[in-house]
Amino acid sequence: MAEVVSLVAAVVQLVDVTKKTISYIESVKDASQDRLKVGREASGLLPLLFDLKSKVSTNENEEWSRCVRSLAIEHGPIDQLREALEQLAKKLKPKTGLKGTFRAFVWTLDKAYTQEILGKIE
C-alpha cells in the first residue's frame, strides 16, 4: 500500500511540474515551432498522468500494480520525466526586471536543448 501511495505522490508531483512548465511555455509571446511542439507534448502528458493516478489509486490487480510501480523506481521513467520538466521549467521561469520582460517575448532555448527535452517527454 505504501508503494501505491508513493506512486500516486510521484504522479501528482509530475502533474504539478507539467502544469508549471506549460504555464511558462504559454507565457512566452514568440510562437515558434519549438515552443508549440514542447507545449503540445507537455499538454498531452496531463490526461495520461491523471488517468494513471486514477488507475493506480483504484486498481487491485497485483500484477498490474507491480508493473506500474516499476515506473516510480529511483531514476526510473517518472523520475526522469519529472527531472526533465523541472529543468525546462527552471529555464523558462519568468525573471523579474528588464531581463524578465525580455524573456517574456523570446523563446530562449536552443534547438538542441529543445530536442533533448522532447526526447525525454516522448
Side-chain angles (χ1 to χ4, degrees):
M1 183 64 175
E3 290 177 340
V4 171
V5 171
S6 67
L7 178 57
V8 169
V11 172
V12 167
Q13 185 180 25
L14 191 52
V15 166
D16 289 341
V17 74
T18 302
K19 286 180 178 180
K20 186 185 306 181
T21 303
I22 292 167
S23 171
Y24 293 157
I25 289 169
E26 289 175 347
S27 72
V28 177
K29 303 295 185 225
D30 174 24
S32 71
Q33 289 301 313
D34 286 343
R35 181 182 71 91
L36 293 173
K37 186 166 184 179
V38 171
R40 278 192 306 268
E41 291 293 331
S43 294
L45 286 173
L46 288 176
L48 298 172
L49 293 172
F50 284 124
D51 191 41
L52 178 61
K53 179 182 164 237
S54 174
K55 285 184 169 107
V56 166
S57 299
T58 60
N59 198 311
E60 304 262 335
N61 182 322
E62 185 61 36
E63 185 177 330
W64 184 88
S65 294
R66 184 176 35 253
C67 179
V68 171
R69 283 192 308 267
S70 71
L71 298 172
I73 62 172
E74 189 173 358
H75 305 295
I78 288 178
D79 266 359
Q80 290 176 28
L81 181 57
R82 181 189 45 76
E83 288 172 12
L85 289 171
E86 284 175 346
Q87 289 172 359
L88 181 59
K90 186 176 179 181
K91 283 188 174 254
L92 295 174
K93 184 176 182 178
K95 300 227 186 277
T96 57
L98 186 58
K99 195 174 196 176
T101 303
F102 173 73
R103 256 183 121 168
F105 293 102
V106 178
W107 180 250
T108 58
L109 304 179
D110 65 31
K111 192 161 193 76
Y113 182 78
T114 302
Q115 293 302 318
E116 177 185 337
I117 293 297
L118 283 171
K120 290 179 181 178
I121 291 173
E122 293 171 349

